[in-house]
């Protein structure tokens, strides 16, 4: 059974700082790993998807890495801005589970002025 | 391209009632998944439909059911509502399965 953990649960950083969010998963048999952002009371916005065969994906100031053998993924946010404040969730898509995503509990990020 | 839409956005029901939530996927997407999000349990998978067939089901009681129509729109039904069913219900669509999942804004259900 896939289990996904995110550390830290909450993070507060000053504007402009670079930061790393961590995600670990127990079963390395995955199709892909997806990172999402959720604003309070809203739905999820897809940020990046890394296929199991990939090591990295980049979009703007975001870079996600995947190390399947160690069951880890990281989301790097460069030059953080107050608008980046949100909860960040990672989700593992395990093989043989159709479209089912297993989510971590999220990291709540606050970027202060 | 329009995103995933969910209706209604907010619902208030009382215990024992039933409720139906609707999800319209992105045009061309055939897979629709449903998730329940609560502060205590986080995001939990309910079920997934692909081409009108349920492909996967999470660990929820039989009071939770769903279906998908030929136009890929999906409905989720919860019967005999309990207080613990209060949650944000999210649906997601993808083109075939192991692709990027796109989520709707959710339906906030409150059971009194």
């Amino acid at each position: 059974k896939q289990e996904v953990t995110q550390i830290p649960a909450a993070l507060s950083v000053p504007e402009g700082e670079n930061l790393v969010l961590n995600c670990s998963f127990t079963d390395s048999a995955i199709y892909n790993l997806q990172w999402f952002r959720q604003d309070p009371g809203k739905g999820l916005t897809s940020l990046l998807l890394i296929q199991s065969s990939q090591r990295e994906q980049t979009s703007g100031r975001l870079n996600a890495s995947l190390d399947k053998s160690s069951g880890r993924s990281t989301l790097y946010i460069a030059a953080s801005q107050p608008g980046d404040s949100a909860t960040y969730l990672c989700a593992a898509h395990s093989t043989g589970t159709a479209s089912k995503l297993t989510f971590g509990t999220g990291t709540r990020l606050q970027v202060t002025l | 391209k329009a995103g995933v839409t969910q209706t209604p956005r907010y619902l208030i029901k009382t215990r024992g009632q039933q409720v139906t939530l609707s999800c319209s996927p992105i045009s061309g997407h055939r897979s629709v998944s449903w998730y329940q999000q609560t502060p205590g349990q986080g995001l939990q998978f309910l079920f997934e439909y692909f081409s009108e067939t349920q492909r996967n089901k999470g660990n929820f009681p039989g009071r939770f059911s769903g279906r998908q129509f030929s136009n890929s729109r999906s409905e989720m039904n919860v019967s005999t509502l309990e207080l613990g069913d209060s949650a944000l219900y999210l649906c997601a669509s993808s083109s075939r399965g192991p692709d990027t999942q796109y989520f709707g804004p959710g339906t906030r259900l409150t059971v009194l």
Side-chain angles (χ1 to χ4, degrees):
Chain A
K1 179 190 168 189
Q2 179 74 270
E3 292 180 4
V4 180
T5 306
Q6 290 187 249
I7 294 173
L11 182 63
S12 181
V13 301
E15 183 180 11
E17 200 161 288
N18 302 327
L19 59 104
V20 174
L21 307 181
N22 297 294
C23 171
S24 60
F25 48 96
T26 56
D27 185 353
S28 62
I30 60 171
Y31 287 122
N32 57 57
L33 188 132
Q34 199 166 351
W35 282 91
F36 295 90
R37 166 191 173 132
Q38 185 175 32
D39 293 287
K42 307 286 188 183
L44 277 61
T45 300
S46 177
L47 297 173
L48 288 165
L49 179 143
I50 315 178
Q51 300 290 356
S52 62
S53 57
Q54 297 176 315
R55 299 281 294 183
E56 252 183 48
Q57 273 287 356
T58 298
S59 175
R61 294 182 295 108
L62 305 180
N63 175 277
S65 68
L66 175 65
D67 184 341
K68 235 178 55 164
S69 60
S70 67
R72 293 183 182 182
S73 177
T74 61
L75 179 67
Y76 174 83
I77 302 177
S80 58
Q81 303 170 358
D84 294 332
S85 298
T87 296
Y88 290 80
L89 295 144
C90 68
H93 187 172
S94 301
T95 58
T97 63
S99 289
K100 176 184 175 182
L101 295 176
T102 302
F103 282 87
T105 49
T107 294
R108 190 168 66 251
L109 172 66
Q110 183 174 13
V111 181
T112 58
L113 291 170
Chain B
K1 222 178 209 183
V4 178
T5 58
Q6 292 187 244
T7 56
R9 294 292 312 280
Y10 302 91
L11 266 177
I12 299 176
K13 293 285 187 179
T14 56
R15 279 181 298 175
Q17 287 187 309
Q18 76 166 24
V19 67
T20 299
L21 313 182
S22 180
C23 171
S24 292
I26 291 171
S27 177
H29 285 188
R30 293 164 66 189
S31 169
V32 174
S33 300
W34 289 89
Y35 292 83
Q36 181 196 66
Q37 186 176 32
T38 59
Q41 299 295 318
L43 273 151
Q44 292 188 289
F45 174 79
L46 281 156
F47 29 65
E48 186 238 353
Y49 287 87
F50 183 87
S51 295
E52 302 178 66
T53 301
Q54 187 181 86
R55 287 204 298 193
N56 204 348
K57 190 177 189 306
N59 190 24
F60 279 81
R63 299 185 298 106
F64 292 82
S65 63
R67 60 178 176 168
Q68 187 180 34
F69 302 95
S70 58
N71 62 358
S72 293
R73 189 177 71 86
S74 177
E75 286 183 348
M76 189 192 102
N77 185 75
V78 188
S79 62
T80 319
L81 284 166
E82 300 177 358
L83 295 178
D85 297 333
S86 294
L88 181 66
Y89 290 88
L90 294 162
C91 84
S93 77
S94 67
S95 61
R96 57 181 175 88
D99 290 332
T100 299
Q101 304 270 320
Y102 296 94
F103 280 76
T107 294
R108 171 75 62 186
L109 172 64
T110 302
V111 182
L112 302 175

